[in-house]
């Protein structure tokens, strides 16, 4: 094929000096000096200098930066500071032209605001900082899958088009499904619980949907969730899994993404462990001491979490929430039934994950649904699985996009999501 290349730029080595290679990429910079043209060629792996001499320049013609070229040439040593090698072109072919000016500067010399970048996201991916964020995200996903598999969790994929709500009625997107109403799944909650009856330990990494009209740096209408569910585990067991997983991700990225960290300008530091475990009750006391008017049973507002987050920077668990603040599937504590076997994993003020021990007795589960104003008839398919030998089980869900913001030190999830969806953004 005429457009196939022999090497990525990062694969050029001293052994290749004097040998012919075929490179392909984008013209990042281009300088004409008399009969010579110096091209900085970029591909996904790096940059190389290309020297184009004499008549070959005619092949190039009038060409804009960011056009795509394929170069056949000989690898040689270079005196130029920014490059390890250069390639003396023998053939050069323009495969696709780029317009000038482009809507955003892919080199990042002229900074564009996030909305402009998101409107031209594919081009933004040629900006090395943005590309590094998504290379890092790839490594995060790799690490999550590796660690959970080692912990004997099986990866599953649950449906995203569903017939009834998984997390209660609020924040559901509905759609017409051949004359019936269907919904977009808010979480894999019910399915992952059901899977414990045969697979014991499962995980899923998928997108889920919330019709939340929130305009913050941490809410999207489509977000990626990492979910686990495990039979024969209590909430502190799955908290241990979560803490281990977060630490492994930090270690993996810190060790394997050195170049990306440098380009992003943020060093990934492995957090100290164990993560502090603060009870909801202690949290209320702490807030009262700070002069907040808050009582046991109140949900923690963003302003409260900002205070707690300031006092406890980094990762910590908030545990043992009141039952009335938790979803219908969460189980109570034996010694105090007003409290639940539940937790949130926080990073400062930011909620990263929530989870807990689940109710596995169908009668109690039905009663809880009614207590929370939900109709058990809507959960028939789910409830019947509880009559087939449902083991005690626990799990959690963690927002991948939020976890990513902690790793790269930004406060807007839109930076780490390819094409974010929020109430104001449905395209591109
Ligand atoms: P919860 O609703 O707390 O729990 O969600 C779990 C985690 O998912 C992330 N998240 C979001 N991220 C971005 N935008 C959103 N709109 C958004 N909503 C949630 C957060 C949050 O902590 N089924 C339970 C989990 C479980 O108990 O297993 C659940 O969905 O990081």
């Amino acid at each position: 094929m005429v457009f196939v290349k022999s090497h990525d730029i990062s694969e050029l080595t001293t052994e290749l000096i004097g040998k012919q290679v075929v490179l392909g990429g984008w013209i990042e910079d281009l300088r004409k000096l008399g009969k010579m043209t110096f091209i900085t060629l970029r591909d996904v792996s790096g940059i190389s200098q290309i020297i184009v001499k004499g008549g070959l320049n005619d092949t190039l013609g009038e060409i804009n930066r960011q056009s795509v070229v394929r170069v056949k040439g000989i690898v040689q040593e270079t005196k130029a500071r920014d490059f390890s090698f250069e390639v003396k072109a023998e053939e050069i072919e323009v495969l696709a032209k780029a317009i000038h000016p482009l809507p955003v500067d892919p080199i990042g010399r002229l900074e564009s605001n996030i909305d402009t970048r998101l409107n031209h996201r594919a081009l933004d991916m040629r900006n090395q900082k943005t590309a590094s964020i998504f290379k890092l995200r790839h490594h995060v996903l790799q690490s999550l899958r590796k660690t959970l598999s080692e912990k004997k969790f099986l990866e599953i994929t649950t449906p995203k088009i569903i017939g009834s709500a998984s997390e209660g009625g609020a924040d559901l997107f509905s759609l017409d499904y051949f004359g019936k109403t269907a919904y977009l799944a808010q979480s894999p909650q019910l399915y992952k619980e059901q899977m414990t009856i045969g697979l014991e330990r499962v995980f899923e990494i998928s997108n889920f949907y919330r019709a939340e009209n929130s305009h913050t740096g941490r809410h999207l209408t489509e977000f990626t969730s990492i979910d686990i569910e495990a039979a024969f585990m209590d909430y502190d067991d799955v908290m241990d899994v979560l803490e281990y997983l977060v630490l492994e991700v930090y270690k993996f990225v810190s060790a394997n993404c050195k170049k990306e960290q440098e380009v992003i300008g943020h060093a990934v530091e492995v957090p100290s462990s164990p993560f502090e475990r603060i009870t909801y009750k202690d949290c209320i006391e702490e807030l009262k001491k700070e002069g907040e008017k808050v009582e046991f049973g109140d949900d923690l507002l963003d302003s409260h979490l900002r205070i707690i987050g300031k006092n406890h920077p980094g990762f910590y668990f908030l545990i043992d929430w009141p039952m009335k603040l938790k979803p219908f599937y969460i189980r109570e504590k034996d010694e105090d039934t007003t409290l639940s076997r539940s937790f949130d994993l926080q990073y400062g003020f930011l909620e990263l994950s929530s989870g807990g021990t689940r109710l596995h007795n169908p009668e109690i589960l039905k009663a809880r649904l009614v207590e929370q104003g939900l109709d058990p008839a809507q959960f028939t398919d789910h409830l019947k699985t509880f009559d087939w030998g449902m083991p005690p089980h626990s799990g959690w869900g963690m927002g991948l996009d939020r976890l990513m913001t902690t790793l790269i030190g930004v406060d807007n999830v839109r930076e780490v999501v390819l094409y974010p969806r929020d109430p104001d953004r449905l395209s591109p």
Side-chain angles (χ1 to χ4, degrees), residues 167 186-189 192 210 212 218-225 227-229 327 329-330 344-345 351-356 358 395-403 413:
E167 294 280 339
Q186 300 154 301
S187 82
Q189 186 62 37
K192 65 174 180 170
R210 308 253 170 127
E212 282 174 298
R218 59 185 190 282
H219 290 94
L220 294 175
T221 49
E222 178 178 50
F223 68 102
T224 306
S225 182
D227 278 87
I228 75 155
E229 202 63 33
Y329 45 79
I330 292 285
D344 282 1
L345 175 65
E351 179 201 310
L352 285 181
S353 168
S354 59
R358 323 302 190 183
W396 46 255
M398 170 161 64
L400 172 68
D401 315 313
R402 293 189 185 179
L403 177 68
V413 283

Side-chain angles (χ1 to χ4, degrees), residues 31-39 50-61 88-92:
R31 281 169 301 125
K32 286 199 163 141
L33 284 178
K35 288 209 160 112
M36 297 245 278
T37 307
F38 294 89
I39 292 177
I50 310 293
I51 316 274
V52 186
K53 280 189 180 165
L56 261 190
N57 281 291
D58 300 340
T59 330
L60 275 179
K88 185 167 154 269
E90 292 178 333
E91 272 177 48
I92 187 155

